[in-house]
Amino acid sequence: MSDFVVPQKLVKRPADMRAFEISQAARRLIHFIQSLNLAARCSTLSSETHPRSAVTIERLIAVLCVVECWAVDFPPKKQLSRFGNASFRDWHRRLTISSHDLIRSILPNSHKAAVAELAPYFLQGFGNASRVDYGTGHETMFVCFLLCLEAIGLLNKSDHGVIVTRVFSKYVSIVRMLQTKYWLEPAGSRGAWGLDDYCFLPFYWGSSQLVHHDAITPASIHDDRIVQENANEFLYLDSLLFIKAVKRGSISETSPLLSDISGVMSWEKVNRGLLKMYQVECLGKFPIAQHFLFGTILRMDPASEGEHVSNRAPLA
């Protein structure tokens, strides 16, 4: 098949939000995020995995390692403003120029036609070059990229655990490097009154990892020893350690919402609450939804009753 298109932005005004909320794209994305959440349950970042789509997984990680290494070629420029270092634009320019070749290196010959539709999701997953910022909308676009790979048959539901623990965790480490190296502006951040300046899903999937954990409870985030000793295994604690590294003060001062969440009795309740929050604060906000991309895989047309999968068949 070769009927792929360059995806477009179709949420042009707040009045379009209702159409977005009931769209095939939004429904399918939420289902994918929930499926990844279930696959991450009770897992660790070092869990032994044997993904069915091992070749695609390894190619994905190889591409992420390539873009990570490029940062060495673009050291931060000396400038008056601490935030928004202009060298990020140089790094992002190389990403833009190379994006199609990078995606081709992931796809087998039978799927090369999908490059035009997949590359924009991948590219948007690494922030905005003109604004020199990054936020949860960019994070969502990278997840959409992964969803598109599954939609065309290159990833499988059985890969969902490793997508979280290996692919997404690698992606998070790269965007954090970009955030601190170039001091990216937090896109759409609510500051201390948000969950985090830049991301959301490491907390959602990370809380799923901790469900039924014998020793780590939501209140454990206030124990520096527990956080430091376990951050390499759990996305939630890894995200907290990052906040502690880049912000001064206690979690109750720098991230009062996370501090409030620590009072919840179980990780199951935390996990359920974070899904609702993601739907409202991320997908439910026009400033984020207006940048969503729609093509032949993720579509703007209304989802059919109970729809969460595409009606287009995987490529042979």
Side-chain angles (χ1 to χ4, degrees), residues 23-311:
S23 70
Q24 178 264 9
R27 294 282 178 87
R28 188 165 194 188
L29 175 60
I30 286 295
H31 177 79
F32 184 63
I33 288 171
Q34 289 178 287
S35 183
L36 291 173
N37 182 66
L38 288 175
R41 184 142 298 183
C42 305
S43 68
T44 63
L45 295 181
S46 64
S47 296
E48 286 291 329
T49 53
H50 303 282
R52 177 176 174 181
S53 310
V55 172
T56 300
I57 295 293
E58 294 306 321
R59 288 175 178 175
L60 268 170
I61 293 172
V63 163
L64 291 174
C65 289
V66 167
V67 302
E68 179 180 35
C69 290
W70 287 346
V72 176
D73 298 332
F74 304 106
K77 290 179 169 67
K78 292 183 179 180
Q79 59 185 47
L80 294 177
S81 173
R82 180 189 184 191
F83 281 93
N85 194 278
S87 286
F88 176 68
R89 294 193 177 104
D90 300 328
W91 179 90
H92 206 281
R93 186 176 300 111
R94 180 181 289 183
L95 181 69
T96 301
I97 293 170
S98 306
S99 60
H100 280 225
D101 287 338
L102 291 170
I103 303 309
R104 283 191 192 95
S105 73
I106 297 171
L107 307 179
N109 290 333
S110 57
H111 292 65
K112 298 295 188 189
V115 168
E117 188 153 340
L118 268 58
Y121 290 105
F122 179 81
L123 186 60
Q124 280 213 20
F126 290 92
N128 184 279
S130 60
R131 296 191 302 269
V132 193
D133 68 7
Y134 175 90
T136 52
H138 302 110
E139 175 185 69
T140 298
M141 284 297 96
F142 183 77
V143 175
C144 285
F145 166 67
L146 298 175
L147 171 54
C148 288
L149 286 175
E150 181 171 301
I152 63 174
L154 296 184
L155 292 174
N156 186 275
K157 187 174 182 179
S158 64
D159 303 316
H160 285 186
V162 74
I163 287 174
V164 174
T165 60
R166 289 194 60 202
V167 178
F168 185 74
S169 64
K170 179 62 178 177
Y171 164 77
V172 169
S173 73
I174 294 170
V175 294
R176 284 182 184 156
M177 177 273 292
L178 296 172
Q179 290 156 20
T180 54
K181 187 181 184 76
Y182 302 118
W183 284 102
L184 305 185
E185 295 278 2
S189 171
R190 295 173 60 198
W193 302 109
L195 192 63
D196 179 83
D197 283 341
Y198 297 104
C199 69
F200 193 104
L201 292 174
F203 293 98
Y204 176 49
W205 292 331
S207 63
S208 185
Q209 286 183 283
L210 289 162
V211 168
H212 304 315
H213 196 284
D214 292 336
I216 303 174
T217 68
S220 297
I221 70 167
H222 300 290
D223 188 321
D224 288 343
R225 181 186 60 82
I226 290 178
V227 172
Q228 291 173 4
E229 291 180 356
N230 295 278
N232 63 328
E233 293 288 10
F234 301 103
L235 285 168
Y236 198 100
L237 302 184
D238 180 53
S239 298
L240 282 164
L241 193 63
F242 180 72
I243 291 173
K244 290 173 179 286
V246 299
K247 292 185 176 183
R248 295 180 179 177
S250 67
I251 286 294
S252 60
E253 296 170 326
T254 62
S255 307
L257 184 54
L258 284 173
S259 184
D260 289 346
I261 291 173
S262 71
V264 178
M265 294 303 295
S266 70
W267 286 114
E268 293 99 323
K269 289 185 178 180
V270 170
N271 190 246
R272 289 196 298 270
L274 287 176
L275 175 62
K276 293 177 182 178
M277 186 177 176
Y278 181 76
Q279 290 177 286
V280 173
E281 297 296 334
C282 295
L283 296 185
K285 298 298 184 184
F286 174 71
I288 293 177
Q290 67 178 329
H291 299 295
F292 202 96
L293 298 174
F294 301 88
T296 65
I297 302 172
L298 298 177
R299 307 187 307 274
M300 184 66 158
D301 53 281
S304 59
E305 187 66 29
E307 181 180 12
H308 55 71
V309 295
S310 173
N311 57 17

